[in-house]
Amino acid sequence: MMPGDSNMTSMVQRIARQALVTFRSPPRVGEEAAKSFLENQSKLKSLMTEVRATDLKLAPRRGGGGGGGGDGSSSSPSGVSPPVTYMHICETDQFSMGVFLLKSGASIPLHDHPGMHGMLKVMYGKVRISCFDRLERPAGGSAQAAEMGALRRSVLRTIDEYTEESGPCVLSPDRDNLHQIDAVDGPTAFMDILAPPYDPDDGRDCHYYKVLTEAEVKHTEQKDNEVWLMEISQPPDFWCGGEPYPGPEVCL
């Protein structure tokens, strides 16, 4: 690890260092967070609140652009540019950090982060984030529910909008762990930290869900804000390309 912070140390380097300290030993599912973790998480939130697009050498995009096409990002075999692209900044065993860029009107579908912590900070534009909590592990409500496969009784916690002036959106293994992210009023980009990173071999694969309507889940009782989520395949209109990260290098 490099020497202590100085005026020459980039903001993204400071964030990465703090993330490494914060997520060295994070609380697991159902565990109460230790005081040291909460203190380090607070420091990380403060840094994430301060970071701006210019710190990442990220230029806001206009119109329908948000990723894809002639900016170095990948396209589908049909030549259609992806609705979402990702800039990889760094990754360790403890966390991954990068930037997601969404075209105008694009969404990252409802998905989960098994056993993971996360922090999301908008760099430009506006996003709407719908956060859900799972109320119980997979279970069947009625006979019909059992036939519909992997259902999750969940609760819609919040629907909030975030801009570059907002603080970060935080998730944990037990709180706001499932979310959908929608670009609002134009293209948008956000910095994203996940701890630990997705790893299907270690039980941290990304699963997608749809919210079932009352008509689709009959004979089940639902309280206010409670919903049934059904696991689905990755939606065909969503895929994520990649593009180069233009900002300061991170050394850990």
Side-chain angles (χ1 to χ4, degrees):
M1 192 174 293
M2 296 175 67
D5 288 338
S6 72
N7 292 334
M8 299 300 292
T9 304
S10 70
M11 174 60 82
V12 67
Q13 176 74 46
R14 293 167 61 196
I15 289 172
R17 288 181 185 168
Q18 186 59 46
L20 191 64
V21 172
T22 301
F23 298 117
R24 188 167 286 149
S25 183
R28 299 178 183 274
V29 177
E31 287 184 353
E32 186 174 348
K35 181 180 178 181
S36 59
F37 172 80
L38 294 175
E39 290 174 347
N40 281 311
Q41 185 187 51
S42 179
K43 293 177 183 177
L44 182 59
K45 286 174 65 176
S46 294
L47 290 171
M48 289 285 278
T49 298
E50 294 178 29
V51 69
R52 293 293 184 268
T54 53
D55 294 311
L56 308 182
K57 300 187 185 301
L58 199 61
R61 296 173 182 175
R62 307 299 177 190
D71 51 17
S73 61
S74 58
S75 298
S76 71
S78 65
V80 178
S81 60
V84 178
T85 54
Y86 182 72
M87 294 176 172
H88 172 81
I89 297 178
C90 67
E91 182 170 326
T92 71
D93 290 341
Q94 286 76 36
F95 76 98
S96 62
M97 186 165 72
V99 179
F100 283 96
L101 302 97
L102 282 66
K103 286 184 173 181
S104 181
S107 295
I108 299 179
L110 181 59
H111 62 284
D112 63 0
H113 311 79
M116 299 157 68
H117 295 262
M119 201 171 289
L120 176 166
K121 174 62 170 64
V122 173
M123 295 290 97
Y124 64 78
K126 182 190 296 183
V127 299
R128 179 185 304 112
I129 305 179
S130 305
C131 294
F132 296 78
D133 284 354
R134 187 174 297 168
L135 294 180
E136 57 187 38
R137 294 301 169 188
S142 61
Q144 178 193 14
E147 292 173 1
M148 296 177 74
L151 294 184
R152 311 286 192 273
R153 187 188 288 275
S154 305
V155 59
L156 174 60
R157 291 291 187 194
T158 57
I159 301 177
D160 290 319
E161 293 186 347
Y162 294 80
T163 69
E164 64 178 327
E165 300 300 326
S166 307
C169 176
V170 179
L171 66 89
S172 75
D174 300 303
R175 186 77 174 185
D176 297 335
N177 191 264
L178 297 88
H179 61 207
Q180 175 172 317
I181 304 171
D182 305 306
V184 179
D185 299 333
T188 185
F190 61 86
M191 189 173 178
D192 192 58
I193 295 175
L194 290 176
Y198 281 115
D199 183 356
D201 293 334
D202 201 22
R204 295 189 304 277
D205 200 1
C206 183
H207 308 92
Y208 296 93
Y209 299 90
K210 66 171 286 190
V211 179
L212 299 183
T213 65
E214 290 186 11
E216 291 174 304
V217 187
K218 298 178 181 177
H219 313 302
T220 59
E221 294 183 3
Q222 288 179 258
K223 300 177 182 178
D224 290 345
N225 294 333
E226 283 191 11
V227 295
W228 282 96
L229 304 181
M230 182 173 71
E231 186 176 340
I232 60 173
S233 300
Q234 179 173 318
D237 58 350
F238 170 74
W239 73 103
C240 187
E243 58 181 295
Y245 162 63
E249 182 181 3
V250 170
C251 298
L252 296 171

